[in-house]
Amino acid sequence: MNSFLHVQDIGDLKQALTEAREIKADRFKYQHLGNNKTLLMIFFNNSLRTRLSTQKAAMNLGMNVIVLDVNAGAWKLETERGVIMDGDKSEHLLEAIPVMASYCDIIGIRSFAGLSDRDYDYAETVYNQFLKYSGKPIFAMETATVHPLQAFADLLTIEEHKTVRRPKVVLTWAPHCRALPQAVPNSFAEWMLEASKLEDGVDFIITHPQGYELDPRFTEGATIEYDQQKALEGADFVYAKNWSCPGVTVPEDYGKIILNHESAEGRSWTIDAEHMAVTNNGKFMHCLPVRRGLIVTDDVIEGANSLVIPEAANREISATVVIKRILESLQ
Ligand code: CP
């Protein structure tokens, strides 16, 4: 595997899940693979789970790990070509990438969407520059449009906690005070739709206010239900997430909040006990970090049906599978 962005990059989903269970049972089984190999994790944005779980995964595989916080001690990087660098950015990514690549064997990238230029974000410009100029295998630790390590961990968590052969999984938009990227819902939709093709997979529904339609390349074939209550009825899993306007129906609204969290309508999307009451004793999921009172109420996230902690713990497993696959391709 030379690049990990999309569900297709992992190949057969059932095989990947089997591998994840095997690694969970013995997470040091492949420790020999990373001997004398170095992972460089590059963060353009903050992280708690991705940083710790991916580092732990690399350690499970016997690797050395270097972590670079681009915004804390490194030269500020210019990412656009053709600019006169007379501002505060001292180094261009196109020199920095091969330099960074010379110190490692594999690179993980976290680089969020800027949310001002849809074409730039959806072209995965920063990730693809790393892919092109590093000459090293690259994987996404949440990029402009995807968060596949999260979606893989989410799928594993659903598999572990499902009580019916084919659970109903609902992705619901929830309100937030800041404009957030679409990476998590994009990947969650992409992975759930792939899982829906399996005989013992999932039935997948997306619910959000009008105008928050996700990019069709991630949701092709998904059922969209604008009535949140209707969507949640009988759900086995409720996956809450905020995202800003993807700009699909109104391009000028890309990256904006179009339903305010303080409005009564916005607030009506917050997942509380009343919302969960119409589900099939549904489990609550969120990728974290989560803003309580906006996305979900305290009682729901702290309740017996909340999976947020096992979901985060499974990030170590999804990362171990992905890095293992990359190491195997380097052998
Ligand atoms: N879910 C997730 O990626 O968490 P962090 O942003 O803390 O890494």
Side-chain angles (χ1 to χ4, degrees), residues 214-251:
L214 293 164
D215 191 301
R217 78 190 86 173
F218 297 102
T219 58
E220 192 82 55
T223 304
I224 315 286
E225 171 57 68
Y226 294 107
D227 182 334
Q228 189 194 32
Q229 163 90 8
K230 207 166 153 194
L232 292 175
E233 279 167 13
D236 297 292
F237 294 90
V238 176
Y239 195 99
K241 184 72 184 85
N242 171 267
W243 61 90
S244 61
C245 177
V248 171
T249 48
V250 184

Side-chain angles (χ1 to χ4, degrees), residues 42-300:
I42 302 171
F43 288 90
F44 288 86
N45 307 94
N46 295 342
S47 168
L48 187 151
R49 278 143 292 275
T50 304
R51 174 185 302 256
L52 297 180
S53 62
T54 311
Q55 183 160 359
K56 176 64 165 63
M59 287 156 62
N60 292 346
L61 294 160
M63 297 186 80
N64 302 311
V65 182
I66 305 171
V67 181
L68 178 68
D69 281 301
V70 172
N71 299 318
W75 301 112
K76 209 162 181 193
L77 294 175
E78 177 58 65
T79 57
E80 308 260 7
R81 278 193 78 245
V83 294
I84 295 168
M85 289 173 57
D86 57 358
D88 62 342
K89 293 172 178 168
S90 308
E91 180 156 21
H92 203 286
L93 199 61
L94 296 184
E95 284 80 57
I97 291 172
V99 169
M100 292 189 276
S102 72
Y103 307 135
C104 66
D105 301 281
I106 301 174
I107 301 175
I109 315 274
R110 166 158 288 204
S111 176
F112 291 172
L115 296 179
S116 58
D117 182 340
R118 188 177 200 282
D119 291 340
Y120 183 88
D121 290 343
Y122 272 74
E124 285 292 359
T125 310
V126 173
Y127 183 90
N128 282 322
Q129 283 181 331
F130 272 93
L131 196 59
K132 186 170 176 187
Y133 297 110
S134 72
K136 296 287 158 70
I138 311 290
F139 65 93
M141 299 194 301
E142 187 170 344
T143 59
T145 65
V146 291
H147 197 359
L149 289 174
Q150 181 66 52
F152 186 9
D154 295 334
L155 177 60
L156 176 61
T157 310
I158 289 169
E159 283 292 309
E160 289 174 336
H161 292 271
K162 69 182 186 185
T163 53
V164 294
R165 188 169 156 75
R166 212 176 153 81
K168 177 177 175 180
V169 177
V170 180
L171 167 63
T172 177
W173 182 92
H176 205 280
C177 52
R178 294 197 173 174
L180 300 187
Q182 297 107 38
V184 169
N186 282 345
S187 280
F188 188 73
E190 186 184 59
W191 285 68
M192 287 303 118
L193 283 168
E194 194 63 21
S196 73
K197 295 175 191 163
L198 302 173
E199 206 183 311
D200 55 351
V202 301
D203 291 325
F204 182 54
I205 295 183
I206 304 173
T207 183
H208 55 70
Q210 298 266 3
Y212 279 98
E213 291 77 12
L214 293 164
D215 191 301
R217 78 190 86 173
F218 297 102
T219 58
E220 192 82 55
T223 304
I224 315 286
E225 171 57 68
Y226 294 107
D227 182 334
Q228 189 194 32
Q229 163 90 8
K230 207 166 153 194
L232 292 175
E233 279 167 13
D236 297 292
F237 294 90
V238 176
Y239 195 99
K241 184 72 184 85
N242 171 267
W243 61 90
S244 61
C245 177
V248 171
T249 48
V250 184
E252 310 84 83
D253 282 348
Y254 175 65
K256 292 184 182 157
I257 294 174
I258 54 173
L259 180 55
N260 192 285
H261 70 281
E262 287 173 325
S263 68
E265 196 193 338
R267 278 296 168 91
S268 76
W269 286 78
T270 299
I271 299 297
D272 60 11
E274 213 176 306
H275 286 78
M276 295 304 286
V278 303
T279 68
N280 181 31
N281 194 26
K283 311 278 197 301
F284 175 80
M285 298 179 75
H286 188 278
C287 61
L288 303 182
V290 70
R291 295 218 182 202
R292 291 179 180 214
L294 287 177
I295 302 285
V296 60
T297 52
D298 291 319
D299 55 337
V300 170

